[in-house]
Amino acid sequence: MMRLLLLFVCAGFTAASSAQLDTIRMVSLGGAGDEGAASVSSLGADALIAGFTTSNADGVQAPWLVRMDSMLQVLWHRVLPIQGTAVGSALDEDGALVVASRELLPAAAGYGVHWHRLDPTSGEVLSDAAFAASDWVIPQKMGQAGDTLLTYVTDYRSGTAQPMVIGTRWVGNDFEVLFEHSFGTPGLTEHLVDGVAV
């Protein structure tokens, strides 16, 4: 059994080459299965942990979100209704919480991007959307520029790895992809052979 462990530390430097670490708060979360965190985001005084859990009724890996206060008390947690891992989050211009997940697609079709829009106070899912061309598009993290949400992905659709950013926006519960922008050098050191990254 693996548990998600959060540890907040403070470093007090006493000399240029030595440091003292003091535990401020520590909490262990999880159930009978495996849990893991992919990102921790600030929501004012609270924190949102995004990752995965297998401690659910189906026993499959699903995106898992935990909102905690500054005393590490759980305010709410939510398992999203897809297979995969939540990789990052951002607040949209309306104040709703948008989470990007790496979704395991059915029938070994690969991985895709799935966004969920949640009420930040209760964790209730308000709406969701998937990237239309999602075969072998793997999200890594999420950011924001103004009212545009940025999801950074590795795009394998051409058969080689290509870094890409997807710009999206929610207007109420309406979702819109604004742009897809590839950058960097394609083909890094990875490619697909019969649908498997090697």
Side-chain angles (χ1 to χ4, degrees):
M1 173 190 342
M2 182 173 117
R3 295 211 178 248
L4 175 65
L5 179 67
L6 291 175
L7 179 65
F8 289 82
V9 297
C10 175
F13 291 99
T14 58
S17 63
S18 66
Q20 175 184 337
L21 297 176
D22 296 318
T23 301
I24 298 172
R25 306 247 192 291
M26 184 171 69
V27 66
S28 178
L29 304 168
D34 290 339
E35 282 76 33
S39 72
V40 179
S41 305
S42 174
L43 296 176
D46 299 341
L48 181 79
I49 296 93
F52 72 88
T53 183
T54 62
S55 299
N56 51 50
D58 299 327
V60 298
Q61 183 171 310
W64 186 39
L65 308 168
V66 182
R67 184 170 182 169
M68 305 179 79
D69 66 16
S70 60
M71 299 301 290
L72 301 186
Q73 298 297 311
V74 174
L75 300 173
W76 56 259
H77 66 96
R78 175 79 54 203
V79 177
L80 298 176
I82 62 171
Q83 288 188 40
T85 300
V87 298
S89 63
L91 292 174
D92 71 10
E93 62 182 359
D94 295 334
L97 180 64
V98 178
V99 176
S101 295
R102 181 182 309 123
E103 180 179 16
L104 177 61
L105 300 173
Y111 291 92
V113 186
H114 203 119
W115 294 275
H116 287 84
R117 188 171 180 269
L118 292 83
D119 180 305
T121 305
S122 67
E124 175 189 356
V125 175
L126 303 172
S127 56
D128 70 305
F131 188 50
S134 56
D135 294 354
W136 291 103
V137 176
I138 302 176
Q140 307 298 330
K141 65 179 185 174
M142 194 168 186
Q144 192 168 12
D147 66 349
T148 302
L149 301 174
L150 305 173
T151 305
Y152 298 92
V153 304
T154 304
D155 182 0
Y156 291 96
R157 289 176 294 175
S158 68
T160 60
Q162 176 72 50
M164 183 174 76
V165 63
I166 304 170
T168 60
R169 178 176 55 200
W170 292 83
V171 179
N173 286 330
D174 296 327
F175 177 77
E176 179 182 13
V177 174
L178 302 173
F179 61 85
E180 301 171 41
H181 178 69
S182 296
F183 57 94
T185 303
L188 303 179
T189 58
E190 303 173 22
H191 62 284
L192 295 179
V193 175
D194 296 327
V196 177
V198 294

